[in-house]
Amino acid sequence: MSDFVIFLIDALVKSLIIVVSLLTGFAYTTVLERRVIARIQVRIGPNRAGPFGLLQPVSEGLKLFFKEDIVPNEADKVIFTLAPVITAVPALIVLAVVPLGSEVTIPFLNYTTSLGLSDINVGVLYILAVTSISVYGITLAGWASANKYAMLGGLRSAAQMISYELALGVSLLVPVSLAGSLSLGAIINAQDPVWFVFYPIVGQVAAAIFYIAILAETNRAPFDLPEAEQELTAGYHTEYSGMKFAAFFMAEYMKMIAVSAIFASLFLGGYRLFGLEDLLGGWMGPLILAGKVVASLVFMIWLRATLPRFRYDRLMSFGWKVLLPVSLVTLVLTWVVIVLELIPVAL
Amino acid sequence: MLIEQYLPIAILLAIAIVLSLIVVFISRIMGPFRPTAKKLSPYESGMTPMGPAVRRFPVKFYLVAVLFILFDVEVIFLLPYSILVQDLGVYGLITVSIFLTVLTIGFIYEWKKGALEWE
């Protein structure tokens, strides 16, 4: 086989692995969320379908397959159908630039490859670009539904997501500055001895702001204003049913997984954990990353069970008047520390 | 090599688009399809909506979008500097602080003008 064919097969297999693991991750994050929230609220949660309720997502997925797909009369049919696609695609492709592990050799084939689809040199820029596309999907869904609740939900969501994207972009520049590169591989390598979250003050503040901003970007509680059911019924997906609704649901959970992996790569050392990632011939790396992602997901679920929803005006002023100035100050502080070579190594 | 870096992403993008289209159209193929006039009305099973749904919306949202564009462009300007902080040294830090001062003056003006208030 020629090199190019091997390269294509390599890329195809890795893409399929990313998509399949995101889909199973999505299915089991929903179970995890319902079980964890149930436990926090002193309930049991879904435990009938299969052992520990593990077949719950399968039964729900099958149920949604056979639901009637309704497009309202006054809706813009084309955009109404395209909006879930525009929302789901970015959630699926954002993990492309995140390295999932170091180099491994596949047994029997004797083929060495790096875990991770493509560590491009503008990885952080790619993440910013791709995550902002999903704003279009949600806004268009709200607009095309021809429903007042959906319209308001879509508008709110657009305003919220673009406001928090500023804080997200600025806090993202702190690890970029510390590593001196936009490539996620280089950022992970720069955290080899000390994770960026352990850099005094700048690391913690930037990580906290980034985490708050990704909660707002993924429309998670306490920032789930676009779907505030007391005010907006179901927000931008009020009119959606069947698998079109599932596509929005899927996009939200896959985005949670993807941004958790990005958060882990930027601040928590990615797939690295004190040299343990080289165990099992390098296959330990993805497991370590998965562990960090699950920890982050459980934290998101915990936040949802704990915090009440923000009021909309407070949400907007928190984004603009607190997060944006604080993240800019943190960024400048990081630059001063780097230029004056004051970087104190923690631990 | 450029193609080696971006072709895998294109392949993933193609798979993602195909998968999303399948997800969106599978209910139409596998589910029932018995539309009635009542079922297709907007906000079915809720109150009958009055007037058109897509109407004028508060100008606040437009203002937020304009402010976002301003600041996002500024964030993009900070991106190349972030990579070269160490190389540019004190000179770069002074230059970027002049840029940030102008940005901060604009931000304070917006704040005092009440553009960030949500009433």
Side-chain angles (χ1 to χ4, degrees):
Chain A
M1 273 194 288
S2 72
D3 281 353
F4 189 67
V5 175
I6 292 175
F7 167 73
L8 277 184
I9 293 171
D10 181 57
L12 196 65
V13 169
K14 281 178 189 167
S15 304
L16 285 173
I17 289 173
I18 287 179
V19 168
V20 169
S21 42
L22 272 175
L23 285 175
T24 43
F26 145 68
Y28 284 100
T29 309
T30 60
V31 181
L32 181 76
E33 169 158 47
R34 293 167 65 182
R35 295 294 306 233
V36 169
I37 286 190
R39 283 294 171 191
I40 290 173
Q41 295 169 344
V42 205
R43 293 184 288 120
I44 294 170
N47 64 349
R48 295 290 116 179
F52 309 108
L54 284 180
L55 293 178
Q56 191 72 25
V58 181
S59 68
E60 274 161 11
L62 279 177
K63 187 190 80 176
L64 279 170
F65 278 162
F66 296 106
K67 284 287 167 189
E68 183 166 359
D69 184 37
I70 295 167
V71 182
N73 254 339
E74 290 167 40
D76 187 315
K77 305 259 176 330
V78 178
I79 296 177
F80 189 83
T81 311
L82 274 184
V85 178
I86 300 172
T87 316
V89 167
L92 280 163
I93 64 171
V94 71
L95 270 185
V97 296
V98 180
L100 309 172
S102 45
E103 293 222 317
V104 291
T105 307
I106 293 163
F108 310 118
L109 293 177
N110 212 9
Y111 174 69
T112 306
T113 183
S114 62
L115 289 172
L117 189 62
S118 173
D119 184 20
I120 56 175
N121 55 4
V122 287
V124 170
L125 206 56
Y126 173 88
I127 289 167
L128 280 176
V130 168
T131 49
S132 51
I133 294 174
S134 53
V135 183
Y136 288 98
I138 288 172
T139 318
L140 289 175
W143 181 80
S145 295
N147 177 317
K148 282 170 188 161
Y149 293 116
M151 177 80 190
L152 282 173
L155 278 175
R156 272 191 182 187
S157 177
Q160 169 187 332
M161 283 165 98
I162 61 177
S163 299
Y164 280 75
E165 204 169 295
L166 292 175
L168 179 89
V170 175
S171 58
L172 198 69
L173 291 182
V174 171
V176 168
S177 306
L178 289 170
S181 172
L182 288 173
S183 140
L184 278 163
I187 290 174
I188 291 171
N189 288 337
Q191 301 178 69
D192 202 2
V194 183
W195 298 353
F196 285 155
V197 76
F198 291 128
Y199 281 52
I201 305 166
V202 289
Q204 288 97 35
V205 176
I209 291 174
F210 185 79
Y211 204 80
I212 294 170
I214 60 176
L215 286 177
E217 282 289 305
T218 49
N219 293 328
R220 287 291 299 172
F223 300 105
D224 53 351
L225 268 295
E227 307 159 32
E229 61 271 10
Q230 299 93 331
E231 306 159 31
L232 293 175
T233 312
Y236 58 87
H237 50 52
T238 304
E239 293 287 356
Y240 281 88
S241 58
M243 286 306 277
K244 283 196 187 116
F245 165 73
F248 282 113
F249 198 63
M250 193 171 93
E252 180 179 328
Y253 281 84
M254 288 189 311
K255 257 194 283 181
M256 277 167 70
I257 297 169
V259 293
S260 294
I262 292 163
F263 176 74
S265 302
L266 289 174
F267 292 100
L268 304 180
Y271 59 87
R272 289 184 189 277
L273 187 76
F274 313 120
L276 282 177
E277 71 275 5
D278 294 326
L279 294 179
L280 304 174
W283 289 105
M284 201 62 192
L287 293 179
I288 291 170
L289 183 66
K292 288 175 182 175
V293 168
V294 170
S296 160
L297 288 174
V298 170
F299 190 67
M300 283 181 179
I301 293 165
W302 182 14
L303 283 179
R304 178 178 162 187
T306 309
L307 296 175
R309 191 178 286 135
F310 263 78
R311 210 171 73 193
Y312 195 67
D313 59 332
R314 293 198 181 162
L315 169 104
M316 294 301 280
S317 62
F318 182 65
W320 283 95
K321 292 181 183 173
V322 180
L323 286 188
L324 182 61
V326 172
S327 58
L328 273 172
V329 169
T330 315
L331 183 61
V332 173
L333 193 65
T334 314
W335 289 341
V336 171
V337 166
I338 294 171
V339 168
L340 301 180
E341 290 172 354
L342 294 171
I343 300 177
V345 174
L347 289 179
Chain B
M1 278 292 287
L2 214 56
I3 190 158
E4 280 184 8
Q5 289 197 316
Y6 289 94
L7 194 61
I9 295 180
I11 292 172
L12 180 62
L13 179 65
I15 292 175
I17 290 174
V18 170
L19 181 84
S20 318
L21 287 175
I22 292 173
V23 164
V24 164
F25 285 107
I26 202 161
S27 280
R28 178 51 65 82
I29 297 163
M30 295 175 76
F33 187 59
R34 291 185 289 272
T36 59
K38 187 77 189 124
K39 210 187 266 177
L40 294 182
S41 65
Y43 203 40
E44 188 266 331
S45 80
M47 280 179 287
T48 317
M50 293 167 70
V54 181
R55 53 201 297 176
R56 288 182 293 174
F57 57 84
V59 74
K60 267 320 289 192
F61 289 106
Y62 179 75
L63 193 60
V64 169
V66 171
L67 291 180
F68 164 72
I69 290 176
L70 284 177
F71 277 93
D72 208 36
V73 168
E74 279 150 353
V75 170
I76 294 300
F77 278 133
L78 299 179
L79 211 87
Y81 174 68
S82 291
I83 309 168
L84 296 169
V85 185
Q86 219 152 10
D87 299 344
L88 294 176
V90 179
Y91 168 75
L93 195 63
I94 292 168
T95 316
V96 85
S97 52
I98 293 170
F99 173 71
L100 278 177
T101 313
V102 178
L103 182 104
T104 314
I105 291 170
F107 186 66
I108 292 170
Y109 175 75
E110 269 165 30
W111 193 326
K112 293 291 164 203
K113 200 78 180 163
L116 304 180
E117 306 299 325
W118 196 279
E119 295 298 335

